[in-house]
């Protein structure tokens, strides 16, 4: 219950969280610290509206590496970790090796990203991109099941 409440609003005080899960503040605080220490809670963040900060275009990029070598994989991952536009990156199975989600200000910015960032990476063999027209569902919550 604590995890569900925090995924809805991580800014809750311990007192507010305790009331939401029907516990007193002291055991709520102890359980919260245990969830943090055991790695259930990785961090607390604010979800920013990309339109308010000027990143209006969401692109999903599928990347195929030239070959599956350790050097190419490491080079790609190391570079992606430094790219501000990329907010998510997954090593995937299937036709592509990686899928990235990125935010850009414009199509010109996207073109610059592909040519001057992805295009300069020796490891990248091909890029296939899809552009988001509208967001139907975007949740940051992980389903928490009580068994």
């Amino acid at each position: 219950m604590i995890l569900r409440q925090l995924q809805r609003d991580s800014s809750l005080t311990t007192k507010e969280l305790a009331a939401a899960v029907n516990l007193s503040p002291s055991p709520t605080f102890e359980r919260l610290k245990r969830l943090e220490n055991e790695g259930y809670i990785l961090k607390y963040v604010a979800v920013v509206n990309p339109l308010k900060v000027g990143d209006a275009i969401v692109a999903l990029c599928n990347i195929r590496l030239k070959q599956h070598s350790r050097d190419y994989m490491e080079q790609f991952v190391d570079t992606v970790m430094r790219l501000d536009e990329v907010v998510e990156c997954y090593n995937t199975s299937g036709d592509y090796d990686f899928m990235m989600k990125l935010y850009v200000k414009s199509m010109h910015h996207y073109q610059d990203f592909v040519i001057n960032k992805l295009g300069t990476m020796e490891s990248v063999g091909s890029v296939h991109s899809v552009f988001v027209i509208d967001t139907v569902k975007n949740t940051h919550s992980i389903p928490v099941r009580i068994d």
Side-chain angles (χ1 to χ4, degrees), residues 6-19:
L6 288 174
Q7 287 189 109
R8 287 187 197 110
D9 183 359
S10 67
S11 69
L12 293 173
T13 66
T14 302
K15 185 176 178 182
E16 292 167 334
L17 182 60

Side-chain angles (χ1 to χ4, degrees), residues 127-138:
V127 178
H128 176 264
S129 296
V130 176
F131 298 95
V132 174
I133 295 170
D134 190 22
T135 301
V136 176
K137 181 178 181 179
N138 183 13

Side-chain angles (χ1 to χ4, degrees), residues 79-93:
T79 303
V80 165
M81 295 300 290
R82 294 188 306 270
L83 298 175
D84 291 336
E85 296 89 348
V86 178
V87 295
E88 297 176 44
C89 183
Y90 303 96
N91 185 209
T92 58
S93 64

Side-chain angles (χ1 to χ4, degrees), residues 56-63 96 98-104 107 110 113-114 118 126-134:
I57 296 175
V58 180
L60 305 174
C61 297
N62 292 299
I63 307 294
Y96 297 96
F98 292 91
M99 175 182 275
M100 300 185 308
K101 178 180 179 182
L102 56 115
Y103 286 90
V104 292
M107 289 304 290
Y110 171 78
F113 174 83
V114 170
L118 294 181
S126 66
V127 178
H128 176 264
S129 296
V130 176
F131 298 95
V132 174
I133 295 170
D134 190 22

